[in-house]
Amino acid sequence: GRGIAGWKPHRVAAAGMVKTFQNVALFQESTALDNVLIGGLMRHDLAGARALAKACIAQVGAGAIGDKLARDLSFPERARVEVARALCTEPKILLLDEAMAAFTHVEMDEFLDLLRRLRDGGLTLIVVEHHMRAIMSLCERIVVLNFGEVIADGTPAQVARDPEVVRAYLGSGAAGAQR
């Protein structure tokens, strides 16, 4: 119910909205756990942040890599650590920007399972993603943009059969496109 345009990132995060980035930005010389802990320092002292960080890194299925340096993590591991760090801020809304961009199908399925658990646990997700399989299986509502303009807004089923979406993303000659 509040506009946040122009707010500094720490103020947005304190209000309960955090974002993960397509190009994961971890502190390379720190461990995965210490990267997550940083998020918890916004609302907790060091001991509280450390306990929360351990819970968050376990929640995303990355507990076994907590002691690894960020520079030694694979891309899917880094993505999970970034989500854990975001969760450690105790957000109400989590924005994911192309979080699955470089995932294999198996990695994407595992990550989607995690996102579904978070969503089903009450966390609001806003997802910017080009993998339609992921979006269609995760989202309850989809807003489709074409060159910055909203061309569709609805359920996955509504959006999938929207002629403007088909034209914009598959071309006017695509099978099933309405003229």
Side-chain angles (χ1 to χ4, degrees):
R2 296 180 279 171
I4 61 168
W7 285 18
K8 294 194 180 291
H10 71 276
R11 186 172 174 207
V12 173
M17 183 183 299
V18 293
K19 175 184 177 192
T20 65
F21 296 89
Q22 179 176 358
N23 297 319
V24 179
L26 299 178
F27 295 100
Q28 297 298 306
E29 298 303 316
S30 296
T31 65
L33 183 62
D34 284 344
N35 269 278
V36 175
L37 179 144
I38 290 165
L41 292 172
M42 185 172 64
R43 300 188 200 281
H44 300 279
D45 63 14
L46 184 57
R50 185 169 301 283
L52 182 58
K54 288 178 181 179
C56 289
I57 204 166
Q59 182 180 12
V60 302
I65 62 167
D67 292 332
K68 286 177 73 173
L69 292 178
R71 69 171 181 237
D72 297 331
L73 301 175
S74 68
F75 181 80
E77 289 171 334
R78 285 181 293 188
R80 284 182 183 273
V81 169
E82 188 167 53
V83 170
R85 180 174 55 195
L87 293 175
C88 208
T89 69
E90 301 175 305
K92 297 173 189 148
I93 301 171
L94 174 60
L95 293 93
L96 297 148
D97 181 12
E98 296 285 348
M100 296 169 266
F103 284 6
T104 66
H105 283 292
V106 171
E107 292 163 346
M108 186 182 303
D109 288 342
E110 291 171 352
F111 200 73
L112 284 168
D113 287 342
L114 165 64
L115 295 180
R116 283 187 201 95
R117 286 193 310 275
L118 295 173
R119 177 200 64 200
D120 295 347
L123 183 62
T124 298
L125 302 175
I126 298 176
V127 183
V128 175
E129 184 61 60
H130 285 91
H131 289 289
M132 287 301 101
R133 180 176 71 85
I135 290 296
M136 299 302 267
S137 72
L138 178 65
C139 298
E140 298 167 359
R141 176 178 171 218
I142 298 172
V143 177
V144 181
L145 300 175
N146 187 30
F147 295 104
E149 298 287 327
V150 174
I151 61 171
D153 181 348
T155 66
Q158 291 169 326
V159 167
R161 65 177 180 264
D162 184 290
E164 189 65 27
V165 172
V166 172
R167 265 193 298 281
Y169 285 91
L170 300 176
S172 60
Q178 298 175 4
R179 297 182 198 271

